[in-house]
Amino acid sequence: MSDAVKERIGLLARLATGGVWIAAGAVKLPDPGASVAAVRAYDLLPEAVVPTVGQLLPVLEVVIGLALVVGLLTRGASVVSAVLFVAFIVAIASVWARGMTIDCGCFGGGGSDPDAASKYPWEIARDTALLAASVYLVALPRTRWALDNLFLAPRRASPHDPDGDTDPATIHDGHDTIHDGHPSHEGER
């Protein structure tokens, strides 16, 4: 797969995952009490940390989402995203295994939901797909239209561009070099 295709896939992964995080966090921000109640409904965390997690989670979701959408600190945001998706998958699987029927609280809400068990497979599948996108971004953190490309060090060199400068006027193919629009053989610069 070419680097251009990988970057396009990465861009789509970044925008989709970031958009989901922003939406999930933004709907919870106005009502932190509901977010705390949703975290409490899972009955997984000690009560002493439930309010802190419930209040900070929406903020973290929005921050991760914004970082991914604009492509700033993409690798770090993707690592946090992947860890959160693993935690969410485990939490949903846990309530399903324990026979609990609660709304996941993923996009607000939370609490009892008599139809929740039928939604768990879809929620786990969705989070697994978003986890895969996050892992892809950890492996390929640089994508098109990302602020990382402006603020971080240049990309590492590829076999076709040993300087890592991505300047088409100096791309090297191993035999000839194009420099200032004129081909020359190695060593003739």
Side-chain angles (χ1 to χ4, degrees), residues 105-129:
C106 304
F107 297 93
S112 181
D113 178 1
D115 299 323
S118 65
K119 298 175 188 172
Y120 293 152
W122 152 248
E123 292 165 350
I124 290 171
R126 176 200 60 216
D127 287 355
T128 300

Side-chain angles (χ1 to χ4, degrees), residues 44-58:
L44 289 172
L45 298 174
E47 181 55 35
V49 300
V50 167
T52 303
V53 170
Q55 290 176 2
L56 291 180
L57 189 58

